[in-house]
């Protein structure tokens, strides 16, 4: 067992705060300890990033992305070890962990393509006068990430922000701090100069120091809505550019004409996949009219998620208690538990934080489980008389990350896609993640700030544009804008 260290200026260094235990959620054992650093470590990291910035910013984009081509190859070469690290610190089952690293690779590929899509604009704006637009990096930027994807979510920001010429301080989740250290090592192996990428471990104190540090130009945040709002407010008050993605409560509308197998298997995979700890996971199923046969089939698919084999644990003992409390409260309020994951124990791994897949029928929109983010493998079914009734419930949610519809009717699909109050919509897709080059980002309380974090939108977020207007020909004359 080794203690996690910060990574500053190309060196692993001791953190400057007390140590917190890191658990393997699969068996409840302590696997490491993470320093809960303070403002001093943040300042050291920012200093290292500032020192690296002039050289990195002056490196042409086509050269900067060469690091990411090499880094991509390293991710691929080390995929098994990287996946096992995620299994260990986060608890995902191996296939899910590997899919996460594959997604990190896809995100890196987008950064490799940046020279092909960021060539500037140029035009003769008036006779003999041209205007050109160039993109410049911002400087030192910060990325604050949650526990649920220790590798993928950091890759939402690292490759694009750095390839575009910025230097970064990453703040991993204190619950899963191990992957970030390997990311730092592999970036260095790929040839990233010291100081361009830094990692400061910790919690609230580090986040607040990042929001307050005068030399940080921009912050991307991914996590719960409560903290996203706090980071957005504090960072913006300090005049930084902030994009903060928050929590989610995703609704799926199930129409009676849906393909039974496609709908039931996809919905079960959406709610139970990654143990429901995805901001894109199905949380509420709005079952319209006569859908009982599909629902029965869906419960059987969900039952097929075997804890400890195809279903990983949740992140902590507290998370398990919270999720089980939601189920019990719904039951006490009159809902019917069709599949009960409470009290799940995996033989030989009795210390693990397991909650089995859970499906609860006859939930009403007022119940807590229908309104709040549960973040576990739990699906609440609300019966709706028609599609407008279902949409009304979806629209009422303060969140707006994802929404899906399962139907065989193109017209109904279009109707729902247009009216759902969510930034990412699925038609017969349970986890409607817009893959590269499309950007990831929700609406309402699921996102604060402008634009999406990934895809083309990230270019806007991680750079500033300079518009240069030039005239060389004397005969072009003079006018009021000369
Ligand atoms: P979290 O908000 O508790 O933590 C996120 C980050 O903020 C962590 O690095 C944590 O150390 C830090 N933090 C925690 N409390 C803080 C505080 N009071 N002040 C300042 N910083 C604080 O989120 P989590 O539990 O790690 O992750 C799960 C949440 O993330 C869920 O709500 C999920 O929906 C959300 N999420 C959203 C997206 C998205 O794209 N919208 C993606 C992944 C996860």
């Amino acid at each position: 067992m080794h203690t996690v260290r910060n990574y500053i200026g190309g060196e692993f260094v001791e953190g400057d705060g007390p140590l917190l235990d890191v658990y393997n959620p699969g068996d409840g054992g302590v696997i490491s300890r993470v320093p809960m650093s303070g403002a001093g470590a943040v300042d050291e990291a920012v200093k290292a990033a500032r020192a690296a910035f002039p050289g990195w910013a002056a490196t042409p984009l086509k050269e900067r992305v060469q690091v990411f081509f090499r880094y991509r190859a390293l991710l691929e070469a080390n995929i098994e070890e990287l996946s096992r690290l995620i299994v260990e610190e986060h608890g995902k089952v191996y296939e899910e962990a590997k899919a996460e690293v594959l997604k990190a690779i896809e995100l890196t590929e987008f950064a490799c393509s940046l020279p092909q899509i960021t060539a500037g604009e140029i035009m003769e704006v008036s006779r003999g006068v041209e205007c050109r637009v160039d993109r410049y990096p911002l400087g030192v930027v910060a990325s604050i990430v949650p526990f649920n994807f220790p590798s993928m979510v950091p890759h939402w920001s690292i490759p694009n922000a750095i390839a575009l010429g910025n230097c970064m301080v990453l703040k991993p989740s204190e619950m899963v701090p191990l992957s970030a250290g390997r990311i730092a090592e592999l970036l260095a192996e790929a040839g990233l100069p010291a100081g361009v990428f830094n990692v400061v471990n910790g919690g609230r104190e580090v986040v607040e120091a990042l929001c307050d540090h005068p030399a940080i130009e921009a912050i991307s945040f991914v996590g719960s809505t409560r903290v996203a709002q706090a980071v957005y407010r504090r960072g913006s008050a300090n005049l930084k550019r902030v994009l903060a993605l928050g929590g989610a409560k995703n609704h799926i509308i199930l129409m009676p004409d849906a393909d039974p197998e496609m709908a039931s298997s996809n919905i079960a995979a959406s709610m139970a996949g990654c143990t429901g700890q995805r901001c894109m996971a199905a949380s509420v199923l709005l079952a319209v009219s006569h859908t009982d046969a599909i629902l029965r089939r869906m419960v059987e698919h969900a039952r097929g998620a075997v804890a400890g084999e195809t279903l990983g644990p949740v992140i902590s003992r507290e998370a398990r208690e919270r999720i089980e409390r939601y189920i019990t409260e719904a039951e006490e309020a009159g809902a019917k538990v069709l599949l009960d994951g409470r009290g799940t124990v995996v033989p030989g791994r009795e210390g693990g934080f397991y909650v089995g897949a859970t499906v609860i029928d006859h939930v009403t929109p007022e119940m807590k489980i229908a309104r709040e983010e549960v973040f576990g493998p739990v699906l609440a079914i609300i019966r709706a008389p028609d599609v407008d009734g279902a949409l009304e419930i979806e629209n009422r949610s303060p969140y707006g990350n994802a929404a899906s519809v399962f139907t065989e009717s193109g017209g109904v699909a279009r109707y729902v896609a247009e009216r759902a109050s969510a930034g990412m919509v699925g038609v017969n897709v349970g986890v409607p993640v817009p893959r590269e080059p499309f950007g990831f980002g929700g609406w309402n309380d699921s996102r604060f700030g402008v634009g999406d974090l990934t895809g083309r939108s990230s270019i806007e977020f991680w750079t500033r544009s300079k518009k240069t207007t030039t005239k060389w020909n004397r005969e072009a004359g003079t006018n009021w804008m000369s």
Side-chain angles (χ1 to χ4, degrees), residues 160-465:
N160 293 355
I162 293 180
L164 290 164
N166 300 289
C167 293
M168 177 179 276
V169 180
L170 176 78
K171 207 298 276 175
S173 164
E174 62 275 34
M175 290 188 277
V176 293
L178 305 180
S179 291
R182 276 304 279 151
I183 291 169
E185 283 173 353
L186 294 178
L187 282 170
E189 199 179 329
L192 192 71
V196 175
F197 177 69
N198 307 276
V199 182
V200 178
N201 290 285
R204 181 177 182 159
E205 223 177 303
V206 172
V207 171
E208 292 183 348
L210 291 168
C211 291
D212 294 345
H213 202 294
I216 289 182
E217 302 292 337
I219 300 174
S220 75
F221 172 89
V222 182
S224 62
T225 291
R226 183 181 58 84
V227 185
Q229 286 172 333
V231 167
Y232 188 77
R233 288 203 178 99
R234 194 158 177 153
S236 307
N238 285 318
L239 307 179
K240 300 182 195 316
R241 195 180 282 196
V242 183
L243 182 54
L245 306 193
K249 187 80 187 166
N250 305 313
H251 294 70
I252 291 187
I253 298 180
L254 173 64
M255 299 302 291
D257 71 336
D259 179 272
E261 181 51 26
M262 180 153 82
S264 57
S265 60
N266 278 273
I267 295 168
S270 175
M271 58 80 65
C274 295
T275 321
Q277 297 179 115
R278 282 192 284 202
C279 65
M280 297 295 280
S283 184
V284 174
L285 181 63
L286 299 161
V288 175
S289 186
H290 302 292
T291 48
D292 282 4
I294 304 176
L295 295 178
R296 276 195 297 276
R297 209 159 164 158
M298 194 266 300
V299 170
E300 288 320 304
H301 278 294
R303 201 187 300 281
V306 180
E309 289 177 30
T310 52
L311 184 78
V314 296
I315 191 66
S316 62
R317 190 168 288 116
E318 295 72 31
R320 181 179 61 193
E321 284 165 10
R322 190 197 66 236
I323 295 162
E324 292 194 341
R325 208 163 38 243
Y326 272 112
I327 303 168
T328 303
E329 283 177 9
E331 194 176 38
E332 286 169 0
K336 187 170 176 221
V337 181
L338 301 180
L339 182 63
D340 193 349
R342 286 172 290 185
T344 296
V345 175
V346 174
R349 314 198 89 197
E350 286 77 8
F353 313 133
Y354 291 94
V355 180
T358 301
V359 180
I360 311 173
D361 201 357
H362 300 295
V363 170
T364 62
E366 297 70 37
M367 288 181 192
K368 218 165 138 187
I369 202 164
R371 293 182 285 109
E372 298 181 5
E373 182 172 37
V374 178
F375 222 55
V378 179
L379 187 67
I381 302 174
I382 300 179
R383 305 291 184 134
D386 52 31
V387 71
D388 286 317
L391 275 165
E392 200 212 309
I393 295 168
E394 191 279 337
N395 284 187
R396 233 189 286 154
S397 170
Y399 296 102
N401 222 34
S404 292
V405 59
F406 282 80
T407 179
E408 287 293 279
S409 158
V412 171
R414 186 81 211 137
Y415 190 83
V416 172
E418 279 178 358
R419 287 164 181 76
S421 184
M424 294 172 278
V425 174
V427 175
N428 297 322
V429 174
V431 187
V433 172
R435 295 178 60 173
E436 304 349 278
F438 301 102
F440 190 100
W443 283 10
N444 312 328
D445 284 359
S446 294
R447 200 240 358 230
F448 305 93
V450 178
D452 294 327
L453 186 49
T454 64
R456 284 179 191 276
S457 192
S458 71
I459 301 166
E460 204 60 51
F461 185 72
W462 294 120
T463 62
R464 49 191 168 171
S465 68

